[in-house]
Amino acid sequence: MQYVIVGGSIAAITALNVIRANRPDAKMQMVADEAVPFYYRALIPFLLDKSRTVDEILFTEQPTDDKRVKFHHDRCVGVDSTQKVIRLESGNPLPYDKLLLAAGSSSVRPDIPGVGSTGVYTLRNMDEALKVRDALEGCGKAVVVGGALAGIKMAESLQRTGVHVTVVEQFPRILPFIADTETAQRMSQKLGQEGMAIHTNDSAAEILATDGKATGVRLVSGKTIPADLVLLMVGVRPNVEFLAGSGVDTDLAVLTDQEMQTSVPDIYAAGDMVQIHDAVTGEDVISGLWGNAVHMGRTAGFNMSGIKAVVPPFLSSFNSTEIAGLPIISAGLIHPQSEQYTVYTEAQGENYRKLIFDKDRLVGMIFLGDITKAGVYINLIRNRIALGERKDALIREVMSVLSTL
Amino acid sequence: MEVIYVQADRCLGCKTCEIECRIAHTDTDTENTLFAAVSQLRPPKRRLFVEQGEKGKTPVICRHCEEAPCIVECISGSIYRDEQGFVRRKKERCIGCWSCIMACPFGVVVRDAEAHIAVKCDHCPDLDTPACVTGCPTKALQLVDVDSLPQERRKELLLKKEV
């Protein structure tokens, strides 16, 4: 059985490990377009400030340690599902019996004047990270365009290297997808105390440059911020272009069933290039979350090995991080827009907690500061547990923690 | 495989298990004792928790889940399953992102804010029997073989019915 996996990050590797374990007869080929694949993407910020080396962010167990796995440093440019071959940029066709699409997503590069200047980077993969790390030598000021989670993590890392950082976010608050207004304000304040400048309700209109080298950013509001380095962290889009003409159905991203099979038999998909259905909000979205990619990769791997498996209920908002020394965990519906939902909040010093209910079901939560037992409550959200009479006890339990701190 | 088996009806809530856990996880060059534990600049965190259940106190402890959500969500390669099948954490790989705390439906992974790492039960790999089990005076915590457990449970139920 010939397995071909397009992609080199967690969805691809998880699927590969499942196939390796379940199909001793498997011949596996991986295609990834990064020179150094198989690293933990979330650790990229630690490369910038040199707190970790490249070796220290690689997967401890590399897929190619298994001699049955052949790795192609190449790019998949087309899928012919009738002939069951994929086309590679290098020109060689690669035949498959079962194909996994886990090519992830790429940074969006906003189409603004000056975006091609030296010193302007998108930052999502290792190659880009190493370039930015080199560019940080002698860099005094940086602008990070995009104040969502990835942007803020990179901004913090730049700041740790001694660079003065300004963050620009088009939403009225930073961390728009993981924080509510209160949490975002508290985070902004903490980051401000650490010397970070934050401009919300604003975005980059133009990269200013002299002799082709970036010197600053002009914002839509008219403000000008000087910078030696500009990071564009305004979002990602799924890598689905190479599927044109393949017969694989896409909408926002690749469509799959619960077994992660696409509209074409023997072609599966997993990770950031897949559209998922959020169990709580009911919306179709692209997940972009690590854990969801693991679940998708695992489910695809089992089904590709001939063992039936389905994915668990997905949450598209399900995040945990620490920013400016303050932990935050949030999940589910954190921006309730209708009166159908009841919201409870409690604050104590740096700690803040918010619970959002739909009748007796917990549908969203934010824990800031004290994050004890967050997973217990997220599990109630994910599985849409009706709490009945236990709802009040739960609210007391969650909120009373703060008064005993 | 031997696992920690919790019998909640035997728990008196004395928290000896919590103390033994902290002693066992004291980072010291000398013998691990209560004195050594409390003398630490940063006393060790407990990795199991005596909590109020519906019927009384009960120790809540890592299940070392078969499909462990903490391993799934770990974004840095820190949480892994060891050769014995227990879910452990590599200290040097932990970045303090708290994804494991977000993932654990039992709430038994905790944050060590000073060390900036997540802390969880490691099943005391260097001991024959985990410290909490050794310490439990009422045998509410026992080390049992997974395969023999159903048999013991049946016996227990039969004895209960006779009363």
Side-chain angles (χ1 to χ4, degrees), chain B residues 11-157:
Chain B
C11 179
L12 302 176
C14 71
K15 303 203 178 198
T16 308
C17 53
E18 289 187 0
I19 294 169
E20 292 294 344
C21 177
R22 294 171 103 141
I23 295 172
H25 291 97
T26 304
D27 190 13
T28 164
D29 297 333
T30 55
E31 202 190 341
N32 281 1
T33 60
L34 180 59
F35 184 72
V38 296
S39 310
Q40 296 287 303
L41 184 62
R42 296 197 305 242
K45 298 268 178 211
R46 61 198 160 133
R47 296 157 185 231
L48 83 167
F49 310 86
V50 176
E51 301 229 359
Q52 184 67 45
E54 273 174 29
K55 290 178 187 155
K57 297 284 184 189
T58 178
V60 181
I61 188 165
C62 174
R63 265 80 166 166
H64 299 276
C65 304
E66 233 170 77
E67 288 189 18
C70 56
I71 299 182
V72 168
E73 295 296 337
C74 179
I75 58 172
S76 67
S78 173
I79 302 193
Y80 69 106
R81 193 177 300 280
D82 71 8
E83 301 80 33
Q84 275 79 47
F86 297 112
V87 178
R88 311 247 307 264
R89 181 226 48 203
K90 291 183 195 118
K91 214 180 200 170
E92 70 282 2
R93 278 259 168 183
C94 183
I95 56 165
C97 71
W98 321 123
S99 294
C100 44
I101 298 178
M102 166 180 81
C104 179
F106 302 106
V108 292
V109 189
V110 294
R111 172 176 178 246
D112 185 335
E114 290 84 18
H116 200 67
I117 49 171
V119 173
K120 73 174 292 299
C121 168
D122 57 2
H123 209 271
C124 294
D126 301 330
L127 303 175
D128 290 336
T129 305
C132 55
V133 174
T134 310
C136 179
T138 62
K139 301 272 181 281
L141 293 169
Q142 279 180 288
L143 197 61
V144 300
D145 185 73
V146 180
D147 298 324
S148 69
L149 190 59
Q151 199 183 345
E152 301 215 350
R153 283 296 285 168
R154 278 197 295 275
K155 253 191 231 164
E156 223 170 81
L157 286 169

Side-chain angles (χ1 to χ4, degrees), chain A residues 256-277:
Chain A
T256 69
D257 60 14
Q258 297 270 58
E259 298 175 18
M260 301 317 293
Q261 185 167 262
T262 66
S263 54
V264 178
D266 296 328
I267 302 184
Y268 295 77
D272 291 1
M273 67 183 295
V274 175
Q275 177 173 324
I276 59 160
H277 188 74

